[in-house]
Amino acid sequence: PTPLPTLSPTAKTGIMAYYYAFNTAKPPFDNPLVRQAFALALDRGALAALINARGDYEGATLFPATTFTPPYVLGRDLYGQVGLAYDPDRARELLAQAGYPGGAGLPAITFYVRDWKAHRAVAQATQSQWRDVLGAEVELTLVPLEEYGDVIHADDPQIRLEGWGADYIDPYNFLHDALCLREPIDVESDPYQSLREAIRNETDEEARHALYTEMSRLLCPSWQTQMHWDNAEYTALLDAAFNEPDPEVRRDLYVQAEHILCETDAVVIPLYWR
């Protein structure tokens, strides 16, 4: 396999995580068994290989994901160990337990994706996998790039494809900041750009942590998630990790949070990182 890059906390990066976000307030994804089934039905290795072969990301390599935080940010590769790896038999079992054997009885499901070449391709492959494994027919809605934010704010669909680019090299930026429900941020303006530059230039760990806090408040002024989901244990783990000085203890707390986010509650399906 291609070795994963290593990063310093002050690295200038184009790190991205791509994922499906469920709206847990809308059936059938108000049921965690259904969310788990849809995650288990996706072969992330095949999806990453498809997009890598297409070359849509200008030569960047995509790595399949079962957890949300890229391993070169978390400092540990959890692929296939934490989260819900491809397991079609288990996916069908869980969907049947939820009351939808073979997909029978599932309500209409709408899936929103930005209308861009790689997103369109992975969404269509995802549709096929969900149909083949679960018997689930999912309607794909392609939204023009410039309209996507307004469409999502007007009517949050049951599933949507999202991407998150790192603002700073810490798991908190993914597990907390990325998931907040927010108004669109002008990434070309101050204070966003000023904070990013300050973080990149700051070598003192304590001072950099203070800048992380400031950036997080800008990105996530209140803890309301895109998925209409809240879990007190998850929030407590993030708070503890963010304020923990021992890097190994911090990492273990973040791994516990990944278990909740991507496995037990399964409110997102990580697809791949680059």
Side-chain angles (χ1 to χ4, degrees), residues 20-43:
Y20 292 132
F22 290 115
N23 183 340
T24 66
K26 289 186 176 180
F29 300 115
D30 53 346
N31 185 336
L33 291 176
V34 178
R35 301 194 298 267
Q36 290 169 353
F38 272 66
L40 288 161
L42 276 191
D43 184 345

Side-chain angles (χ1 to χ4, degrees), residues 25-265:
K26 289 186 176 180
F29 300 115
D30 53 346
N31 185 336
L33 291 176
V34 178
R35 301 194 298 267
Q36 290 169 353
F38 272 66
L40 288 161
L42 276 191
D43 184 345
R44 266 61 68 83
L47 295 178
L50 167 70
I51 304 304
N52 283 332
R54 289 171 54 89
D56 290 330
Y57 289 105
E58 299 178 354
T61 300
L62 302 177
F63 299 92
T66 53
T67 53
F68 191 40
T69 310
Y72 27 96
V73 174
L74 181 64
R76 188 178 298 173
D77 187 357
L78 303 175
Y79 179 63
Q81 302 171 34
V82 176
L84 297 168
Y86 182 53
D87 188 337
D89 290 338
R90 182 64 176 152
R92 286 186 282 266
E93 280 180 26
L94 291 182
L95 194 65
Q97 286 180 32
Y100 306 108
L106 279 169
I109 298 173
T110 304
F111 176 30
Y112 281 19
V113 174
R114 290 174 176 85
D115 191 7
W116 183 68
K117 51 189 179 181
H119 295 175
R120 190 164 55 242
V122 77
Q124 289 167 345
T126 294
Q127 268 187 305
S128 295
Q129 289 190 18
W130 282 335
R131 181 185 303 114
D132 293 345
V133 173
L134 300 175
E137 294 293 339
V138 178
E139 179 184 351
L140 174 60
T141 299
L142 296 170
V143 182
L145 294 174
E146 65 277 7
E147 298 175 14
Y148 189 80
D150 290 338
V151 169
I152 291 297
H153 275 80
D155 183 21
D156 196 2
Q158 290 146 303
I159 316 169
R160 53 194 170 103
L161 173 59
E162 293 291 348
W164 178 259
D167 299 291
Y168 53 90
I169 309 305
D170 191 277
Y172 197 77
N173 188 235
F174 287 85
L175 296 173
H176 181 269
D177 303 345
L179 303 180
C180 282
L181 187 65
R182 66 174 66 81
E183 295 298 322
I185 292 173
D186 181 359
V187 297
E188 302 301 325
S189 68
D190 282 334
Y192 181 85
Q193 283 296 339
S194 297
L195 276 170
R196 288 197 77 179
E197 194 62 27
I199 287 168
R200 287 168 176 167
N201 293 329
E202 184 54 69
T203 57
D204 179 78
E205 187 173 348
E206 187 174 341
R208 193 171 59 250
H209 191 273
L211 291 169
Y212 291 171
T213 302
E214 193 174 346
M215 177 66 90
S216 183
R217 286 174 180 156
L218 175 67
L219 295 170
C220 192
S222 66
W223 181 237
Q224 298 181 61
T225 66
Q226 301 168 11
M227 300 83 65
H228 307 281
W229 164 81
D230 194 16
N231 180 303
E233 182 183 0
Y234 179 84
T235 305
L237 285 167
L238 294 190
D239 289 346
F242 191 68
N243 294 297
E244 172 56 55
D246 185 316
E248 283 302 315
V249 175
R250 290 185 76 237
R251 190 174 293 116
D252 287 342
L253 292 167
Y254 283 133
V255 171
Q256 291 178 55
E258 289 276 7
H259 271 288
I260 294 171
L261 180 71
C262 303
E263 190 170 331
T264 56
D265 284 17

